[in-house]
Amino acid sequence: MTRKNEAGSSRRDFLKLAATGAPAVAVATMVTAGDAQAAEPDLTSDRIQDTAHTRAYFESARF
């Protein structure tokens, strides 16, 4: 079998980069993320409100 010498990256190089890059992105996200505070609800609006209740729901819905 002959080996092709391509100027671009191979699939194996991509998989190596993806395997090492994903944990680095996760760590960077955890380090830079801060605690967000929920706002007081606006009772005159008919849209979804950013409250502690909705934040708790969205937090529990993550998987």
Side-chain angles (χ1 to χ4, degrees):
M1 214 170 200
T2 62
R3 177 175 253 198
K4 293 182 181 179
N5 191 2
E6 297 178 11
S9 300
S10 68
R11 185 181 314 154
R12 184 173 292 174
D13 291 336
F14 171 75
L15 292 174
K16 286 180 189 176
L17 180 65
T20 58
V25 169
V27 169
T29 303
M30 293 298 292
V31 169
T32 60
D35 290 335
Q37 298 297 323
E40 291 297 320
D42 180 16
L43 300 177
T44 61
S45 177
D46 60 346
R47 302 174 91 182
I48 190 167
Q49 302 294 314
D50 182 23
T51 62
H53 178 269
T54 55
R55 288 204 181 235
Y57 170 75
F58 290 141
E59 194 66 35
S60 69
R62 290 184 186 173
F63 46 95

